C-alpha cells in the first residue's frame, strides 16, 4: 500500500549561537518494553532533533542528540571541562563540510537507557555548534535496534537479536545496505530518479548531492532554488541551494513537496557516493512519520506514516542551517 505524506511550507530554522544547558529537567526515567527494550523519554533541541538523557559517570543527565549518521559519540568541550575528563588522542573527524584534526577526551563510562559504554574517546566540539551537550553515535548503540516514536516522544533501544515489537499492517519495511557502518536504502527515488538514501537523525534538514541535482535539471524537474549556508558542528560552512522536490519515494511511502538542499557535502565522498544520486534524509523528513525503526545489524528500516503527515511549518526564510558533523574519526 502506498502512503503519501504532505509537507507544508517548511525550511530549517536559523542557527543560533547561544549555548544550551544540559541540566534542563530530564525526561521520565527509562522503562522497559515487553520485548526487552528500554524506552527513553525524549526531548527536542532548538533544531528539532531528538535528544535523550545521558549520564557520564555519576553526573547528569545531559541532553545528547541521537545521530544515526554518526559513527562516534562526541561531547561539548565545555561539558568535558566541567567534568574534568582526561585528554585522549587527537583524531581525524569527518564532518559535513570538511575533514578536521580534533582533540578527543576520554569518557570513562557513558550510560543511556540503563546500558553503559566504557572508555569512549569522544571528539570535543564547541557547544554552540553542536546545539546540545553531545552527540550520541552508533558506537554507543552497537548491536541495537533503535525505534523512534514521534507521537509519544519516545525512543526504544532493543538488542537486535530480540523479537521485533508489533507494528501495524501498513508499516513499510525496507532492507538496506551497509556502507561503512551506515544503512543506505536503495529502494528510493526523487521525482522519478533512483537515489541512494541515508537516514540521518542528527541532521536538521535533508541534503542531496549535485549528481541528483544535474539529473533533475536535465529532466526539467528542478524548481527554483534559494541560497543557504550549511554549517557543521566543527563550525565549517558550505554554500548550498535549497528547493522543493515534488516527491521522495521510500519503499511504498511518498513524501510530497519536501525541502531539499543541494550540495556536495563531505559524507557523500566518504561513503563513495560522488557519482551516484544520493540523499541524506534529515529530521525534517523523518518527523513526518509516526514511527521509524533502524535495525543496524539486520540492515532493516521500518517506516510508519499516519497522523504526523499533516504537520504545520514555516515559510522559506532561513539563510543558515546547522548540519551536525558525522563523527567518524580515526586516530592520528
Amino acid at each position: 500500500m502506498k502512503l503519501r505524506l504532505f509537507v507544508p511550507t517548511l525550511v530549517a530554522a536559523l542557527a543560533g549561537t547561544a549555548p544550551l544547558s544540559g541540566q534542563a529537567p530530564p525526561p521520565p526515567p527509562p522503562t522497559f518494553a515487553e520485548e526487552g527494550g528500554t524506552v527513553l523519554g525524549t526531548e527536542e533541541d532548538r533544531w528539532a532533533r531528538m535528544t535523550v538523557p545521558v549520564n557520564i559517570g555519576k553526573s547528569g543527565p545531559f541532553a545528547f542528540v541521537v545521530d544515526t549518521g554518526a559513527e562516534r559519540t562526541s561531547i561539548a568541550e565545555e561539558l568535558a571541562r566541567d567534568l574534568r575528563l582526561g585528554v585522549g588522542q587527537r583524531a581525524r573527524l569527518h564532518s559535513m563540510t570538511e575533514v578536521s584534526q580534533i582533540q578527543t577526551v576520554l569518557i570513562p563510562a557513558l550510560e543511556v537507557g540503563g546500558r553503559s559504554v566504557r572508555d569512549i574517546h569522544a571528539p570535543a566540539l564547541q557547544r554552540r555548534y553542536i546545539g546540545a551537550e553531545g552527540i550520541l553515535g552508533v558506537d554507543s548503540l552497537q548491536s541495537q535496534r533503535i525505534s523512534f516514536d514521534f507521537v509519544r516522544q519516545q525512543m526504544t533501544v532493543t538488542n537486535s537479536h530480540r523479537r521485533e515489537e508489533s507494528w501495524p499492517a501498513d508499516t513499510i519495511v525496507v532492507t538496506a545496505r551497509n556502507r561503512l557502518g551506515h544503512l543506505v536504502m536503495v529502494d528510493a527515488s526523487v521525482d522519478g530518479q533512483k537515489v541512494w538514501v541515508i537516514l540521518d537523525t542528527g541532521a536538521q534538514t535533508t541534503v542531496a548531492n549535485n549528481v541528483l541535482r544535474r539529473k533533475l535539471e536535465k529532466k526539467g524537474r528542478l524548481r527554483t532554488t534559494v541560497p543557504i549556508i550549511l554549517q557543521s558542528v566543527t563550525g565549517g560552512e558550505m554554500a548550498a541551494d535549497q528547493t522543493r522536490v515534488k516527491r521522495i519515494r521510500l519503499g511504498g511511502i511518498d513524501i510530497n513537496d519536501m525541502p531539499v538542499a543541494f550540495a556536495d557535502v563531505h559524507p557523500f565522498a566518504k561513503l563513495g557516493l560522488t557519482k551516484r544520486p544520493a540523499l541524506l534524509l534529515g529530521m525534517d523528513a523523518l518527523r513526518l512519520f509516526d514511527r521509524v525503526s533502524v535495525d543496524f545489524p539486520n540492515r532493516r528500516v521500518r517506516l510508519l506514516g499516519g497522523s504526523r503527515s499533516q504537520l504545520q511549518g514555516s515559510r522559506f526564510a532561513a539563510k543558515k542551517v546547522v548540519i551536525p558533523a558525522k563523527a567518524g574519526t580515526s586516530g592520528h
Side-chain angles (χ1 to χ4, degrees):
M1 182 175 74
K2 183 170 287 189
L3 304 177
R4 277 175 164 67
L5 304 182
F6 294 92
V7 185
T9 308
L10 175 68
V11 77
L14 284 168
T17 58
L20 296 184
S21 171
Q23 296 296 337
T31 58
F32 299 94
E34 293 181 1
E35 295 79 11
T38 304
V39 180
L40 291 167
T42 64
E43 300 289 343
E44 292 183 12
D45 72 352
R46 56 183 162 176
W47 298 309
R49 298 171 300 171
M50 182 170 284
T51 66
V52 295
V54 168
N55 289 315
I56 296 177
K58 297 180 179 180
S59 301
F62 305 103
F64 274 50
V65 173
V66 180
D67 191 349
T68 58
E71 297 164 8
R72 295 274 295 270
T73 293
S74 301
I75 188 172
E77 59 182 30
E78 296 88 344
L79 176 59
R81 283 198 301 268
D82 291 344
L83 298 178
R84 299 182 179 180
L85 299 180
V87 176
Q89 62 186 7
R90 291 188 66 82
R92 182 179 294 113
L93 185 142
H94 298 265
S95 74
M96 272 287 181
T97 59
E98 61 199 358
V99 180
S100 308
Q101 293 294 324
I102 301 293
Q103 181 65 58
T104 69
V105 297
L106 180 61
I107 300 177
L110 180 149
E111 183 179 303
V112 56
R115 292 176 170 82
S116 182
V117 183
R118 295 187 174 277
D119 300 328
I120 299 174
H121 286 266
L125 305 168
Q126 293 184 45
R127 183 188 282 134
R128 61 173 175 161
Y129 295 133
I130 296 178
E133 296 295 348
I135 296 172
L136 193 65
V138 177
D139 60 339
S140 299
L141 297 167
Q142 291 179 357
S143 302
Q144 306 296 323
R145 181 170 55 245
I146 309 168
S147 297
F148 302 94
D149 188 324
F150 295 110
V151 176
R152 295 185 176 90
Q153 285 293 291
Q154 292 178 341
M155 183 181 82
T156 303
V157 181
T158 311
N159 190 296
S160 64
H161 297 298
R162 292 184 177 272
R163 177 173 60 89
E164 177 72 278
E165 65 268 24
S166 177
W167 286 67
D170 57 351
T171 299
I172 301 299
V173 182
V174 181
T175 299
R177 298 183 183 182
N178 188 309
R179 200 171 184 89
L180 299 179
H182 298 264
L183 290 189
V184 181
M185 295 187 293
V186 295
D187 183 13
S189 64
V190 174
D191 287 344
Q193 173 63 51
K194 293 191 67 174
V195 66
W196 289 37
V197 175
I198 303 100
L199 297 185
D200 193 345
T201 62
Q204 83 179 81
T205 197
T206 295
V207 182
N209 63 8
N210 283 320
V211 176
L212 176 58
R213 176 176 183 158
R214 290 191 291 269
K215 287 186 177 293
L216 294 180
E217 284 179 325
K218 187 176 181 179
K219 296 177 180 179
R221 297 175 183 172
L222 186 70
R223 297 176 176 179
T224 302
T225 63
V226 295
I228 63 172
I229 299 295
L230 304 179
Q231 184 183 73
S232 77
V233 293
T234 61
E237 296 185 348
M238 176 179 288
D241 291 316
Q242 191 173 50
T243 187
R244 291 177 175 279
V245 299
K246 292 182 179 179
R247 183 182 69 176
I248 298 175
R249 178 178 174 271
L250 303 171
I253 293 183
D254 288 347
I255 304 176
N256 293 329
D257 203 27
M258 185 72 211
V260 173
F262 288 94
D264 286 328
V265 292
H266 179 68
F268 293 131
K270 183 174 183 289
L271 296 176
L273 297 175
T274 57
K275 298 182 179 179
R276 301 174 184 265
L279 187 76
L280 290 169
L281 199 69
M283 286 298 287
D284 55 346
L286 294 175
R287 284 193 170 279
L288 297 173
F289 298 95
D290 280 359
R291 293 168 67 187
V292 175
S293 173
V294 183
D295 189 331
F296 287 96
N298 294 315
R299 298 181 293 109
R300 188 178 300 118
V301 177
R302 281 180 164 81
L303 303 165
L304 177 64
S307 60
R308 296 184 62 81
S309 61
Q310 303 296 332
L311 297 180
Q312 296 299 314
S314 58
R315 300 169 67 84
F316 265 103
K319 297 301 180 184
K320 179 181 289 185
V321 295
V322 170
I323 308 293
K326 303 300 102 190
T329 63
S330 55
H332 184 73

